[in-house]
Amino acid sequence: MTSTTDEIARLKKVHNAIILAHTYQPGEIQDIADFVGDSYGLSVQAAAADAEVIIFCGVLFMAETAAILNPDKKVILPVPEAGCPMADMISAGELVELKRKYPGYTVLCYVNSPAEVKAESDICCTSSNALTIAGKLPENKGIIFVPDKHLGSHVHEQTGRPVVLWEGFCPTHARITPAMVLAAKKNHPRACTMIHPEAPKASRDLCDKIFSTGQMCDFVKEGPHTEFIIGTEIGILHTLNHRTPQKKYYPMSDQITCPNMRRGTLETTLRALKRESGLLVNVSGDIADKARGSLTRMLEMSR
Ligand code: SF4
């Protein structure tokens, strides 16, 4: 009998498909993906993909980004209901209002946002490149940062740039409290503490490093530390254990999970490949063109 993973491998060849998976996806999905990465890495892979079909194991805004960057490909989100609550905390209309209130400001938009909001923005960023890009924006202009108030405040703290924040946040990372950080540090006193910039400032301030997931994966390979406390979605522990198994990783808490990232299974991935289910993500017209402009500027400026 053919196993699900064998069938996925066979169908990938039949349909000339690749599977992209975020580091927050369940381990079984990461294990069958052609590329596992953070939003930035996945954007780069999506832009370079020469397969006809991209099976995007993540949430809607990520699949939308892949579709915008690859208008000629079929981009399929295996679980159509997998959205991102933070992305849904802002609409294009609300951003237009904000721009009216702060004329002349540059709009820097976290990729965790709907295509319509990217289209109303000057440039996008991910948590990996937000500081680099903010540092390259015109110095005589303020920045409107949407939708994540925590990443936006991190940009303000690290670059000193004036930043207007939107009240969006990630419900998963917002659960990381200072008490949780202190408890983890007490349990693992020798470990280097890393936290994602989507976490609140009071928790970030207690940690050794503020890193995107991609930066965490790179950092553990280098340097003298052998143990790490990981302050982000626990799916990344699978990635870290797979890529750098000689080091030790402790979750900040087992509670740091994103329900939307955990909806997918091998079965949903297989059914998406068979085209029995899944959402064919399509962003077209003016919205796609403008959003592509914001994303392309990000890719160019982060080099
Ligand atoms: S971890 Fe947070 S930002 Fe990422 S998809 Fe889940 S809710 Fe959205």
Side-chain angles (χ1 to χ4, degrees), residues 149-151 153-154 157 173-183 185 193 195-210 252:
K149 64 178 176 181
H150 296 306
L151 180 58
S153 75
H154 177 59
E157 285 155 30
H173 288 91
R175 267 187 248 140
I176 305 179
T177 60
M180 209 178 255
V181 179
L182 292 172
K185 287 175 80 150
T193 311
I195 194 164
H196 196 279
E198 286 175 19
K201 175 175 165 49
S203 301
R204 293 197 309 260
D205 285 349
L206 296 170
C207 295
D208 300 312
K209 302 284 177 192
I210 304 169
M252 188 80 80

Side-chain angles (χ1 to χ4, degrees), residues 24 59 61 83-86 112 170-173 198 233 258 261:
Y24 296 163
V59 295
F61 76 80
C84 168
M86 170 156 66
N112 301 29
C170 163
T172 297
H173 288 91
E198 286 175 19
E233 216 276 353
C258 172
M261 282 287 188

